[in-house]
């Protein structure tokens, strides 16, 4: 889909593709001047129903929906899957056209990070646990690109999925600390019929690995069952979760954590609300999942 010159009028064809940062800023400024409420859905493309649920929520609550489609190089460490990460822009545009998203912003890395770019956003505390322990540069890249997307889109509200629970906490901390004028909405995880959390990385799994990957949701369901039945000892919960996960031959646990929902500090005993988070490698594919346990 080719770009057209911006004429200040709404195009008939949606979503309208914008690949230039300055043009996206110009369009967003014009929309804000018209009093439009802008919703942003930050994605790395390879869209699935989880992403679409965010765009639909934005469509229902905002006047204009911008979906970013950008595989952000700064959140990948050397040796991670940046080069093979799926890029399906044409299919993404087709999906977003069905729900009436207004813009898809798909910039080039060289436009987002031009020659001489030398800034980053670092959020301490919540970013240094869990994913931060295994991917120490990851959340600097996430926070930096998300702040750039907020600034470029001029969005009033941004929509994130619960599957990236820690990312949402990092972004919220950045917003709070830096007084960024935007609202965050976190929507529930969208799962396959058998319980697997939808992810762009699921397509890396072989048929057998796809079956093995169900141990993540099964382990989380067990943790919730135990907590609701009165179990308070996190170590007892971990033991049951580990047994389920290790029943999959190719599974390797990066972490399991029963944590405070905001700080993500580990809980030795579950006295109130909690979040249970997992990162597990199934074969060569690293998957994350979580479950919020609300005991109110």
């Amino acid at each position: 889909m080719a770009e057209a010159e911006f004429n200040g009028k709404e195009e008939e064809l949606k979503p309208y593709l914008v690949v230039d940062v300055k043009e996206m800023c110009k369009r967003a400024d014009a929309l804000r001047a018209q009093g439009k409420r802008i919703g942003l859905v930050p994605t790395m493309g390879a869209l699935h129903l989880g992403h679409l649920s965010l765009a639909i929520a934005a469509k229902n609550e905002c006047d204009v929906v911008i979906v970013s489609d950008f595989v952000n190089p700064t959140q990948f460490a050397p040796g991670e899957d940046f080069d093979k990460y799926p890029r399906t822009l044409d299919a993404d545009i087709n999906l977003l056209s069905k729900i009436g998203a207004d813009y898809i912003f798909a910039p080039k890395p060289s436009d987002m990070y031009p020659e001489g770019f030398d800034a980053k956003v670092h959020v301490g505390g919540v970013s240094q646990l869990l994913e931060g322990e295994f991917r120490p540069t990851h959340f600097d890249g996430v926070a930096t690109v998300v702040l750039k997307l907020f600034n470029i889109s001029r969005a009033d509200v941004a929509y994130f999925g619960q599957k990236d629970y820690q990312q949402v906490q990092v972004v919220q901390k950045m917003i709070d600390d830096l007084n960024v004028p935007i609202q965050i909405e976190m929507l529930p995880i969208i799962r396959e019929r058998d319980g697997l959390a939808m992810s762009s990385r699921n397509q890396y799994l072989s048929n057998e690995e796809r079956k093995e990957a169900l141990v993540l949701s099964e382990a989380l369901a067990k943790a919730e069952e135990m907590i609701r039945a009165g179990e308070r000892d996190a170590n007892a919960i971990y033991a049951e979760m580990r047994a389920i996960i290790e029943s999959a031959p190719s599974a390797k646990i990066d972490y399991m954590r029963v944590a405070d929902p905001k700080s993500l500090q580990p809980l030795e005993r579950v006295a109130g609300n909690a979040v249970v988070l997992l990162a597990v490698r199934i074969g060569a594919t690293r998957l994350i999942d979580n479950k919020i346990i609300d005991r109110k």
Side-chain angles (χ1 to χ4, degrees):
M1 183 185 294
E3 279 191 293
E5 289 297 320
F6 177 47
N7 57 18
K9 298 179 180 178
E10 196 167 336
E11 292 80 9
E12 293 182 3
L13 188 62
K14 293 182 179 180
Y16 188 75
L17 176 64
V18 180
V19 300
D20 181 75
V21 169
K22 290 181 180 178
E23 183 189 351
M24 191 72 257
C25 291
K26 183 178 180 181
R27 289 171 175 271
D29 283 338
L31 293 165
R32 289 297 294 267
Q34 296 167 23
K36 301 292 187 182
R37 180 173 171 83
I38 300 173
L40 171 69
V41 182
T43 84
M44 292 205 300
L47 303 185
H48 51 66
L49 290 177
H51 299 113
L52 296 184
S53 72
L54 304 180
I56 290 169
K59 185 72 176 177
N60 290 338
E61 298 172 5
C62 301
D63 300 311
V64 177
V65 178
I66 300 171
V67 178
S68 65
D69 192 311
F70 178 63
V71 183
N72 176 39
T74 66
Q75 68 191 67
F76 291 79
E80 292 187 342
D81 60 346
F82 174 73
D83 289 334
K84 71 173 185 176
Y85 195 88
R87 292 160 171 83
T88 59
L89 182 58
D90 289 342
D92 295 345
I93 291 170
N94 183 54
L95 286 173
L96 291 171
S97 70
K98 299 181 187 304
I99 62 170
D102 297 281
Y103 294 94
I104 185 164
F105 176 50
K108 297 177 181 178
S110 59
D111 203 11
M112 290 291 279
Y113 302 108
E115 185 177 356
F117 185 92
D118 192 24
K120 70 177 179 180
V121 179
H122 175 73
V123 180
V126 71
S127 76
Q128 297 173 307
L129 306 165
L130 302 169
E131 289 297 292
E133 296 171 10
F134 287 85
R135 308 174 69 191
T137 63
H138 173 68
F139 283 122
D140 286 357
V142 169
T144 301
V145 77
V146 167
L147 185 58
K148 285 176 67 69
L149 291 171
F150 288 171
N151 290 336
I152 292 165
S153 68
R154 317 303 202 236
D156 298 280
V157 55
Y159 295 80
F160 294 86
Q162 180 192 320
K163 191 176 78 67
D164 295 305
Y165 186 92
Q166 185 177 9
Q167 174 178 285
V168 177
Q169 304 313 308
V170 171
V171 171
Q172 187 65 64
K173 178 67 171 170
M174 175 186 73
I175 288 169
D176 294 343
D177 285 1
L178 300 181
N179 305 109
V180 183
I182 193 168
Q183 173 188 344
I184 294 296
E185 294 288 343
M186 182 176 73
L187 274 66
I189 296 171
I190 303 298
R191 299 183 179 276
E192 304 285 357
R193 290 181 181 273
D194 57 10
L196 182 66
M198 290 190 177
S199 170
S200 301
R201 288 186 168 94
N202 289 349
Q203 62 187 276
Y204 298 162
L205 300 168
S206 68
N207 290 338
E208 186 58 35
E209 289 170 343
R210 172 65 178 73
K211 295 175 185 176
E212 292 185 18
L214 297 180
V215 296
L216 278 79
S217 58
E218 291 168 1
L220 290 170
K222 183 63 175 180
E224 180 178 35
E225 175 190 322
M226 294 176 71
I227 293 169
R228 296 203 183 282
E231 181 62 69
R232 298 293 173 260
D233 184 357
N235 285 329
I237 295 167
Y238 294 146
E240 294 291 330
M241 294 175 67
R242 184 178 298 279
I244 291 170
I245 294 168
E246 291 182 347
S247 70
S250 72
K252 179 181 178 183
I253 299 169
D254 273 3
Y255 61 76
M256 300 183 295
R257 178 71 53 85
V258 180
D260 176 88
K262 186 172 183 180
S263 71
L264 300 187
Q265 289 293 329
L267 299 173
E268 293 183 3
R269 296 192 62 80
V270 185
N273 296 340
V275 59
V276 186
L277 306 105
L278 282 173
V280 178
R281 298 177 190 273
I282 302 294
T285 304
R286 189 174 187 274
L287 302 176
I288 60 173
D289 201 350
N290 67 80
K291 186 171 285 289
I292 298 171
I293 313 295
D294 186 347
R295 298 188 59 237
K296 290 183 180 180

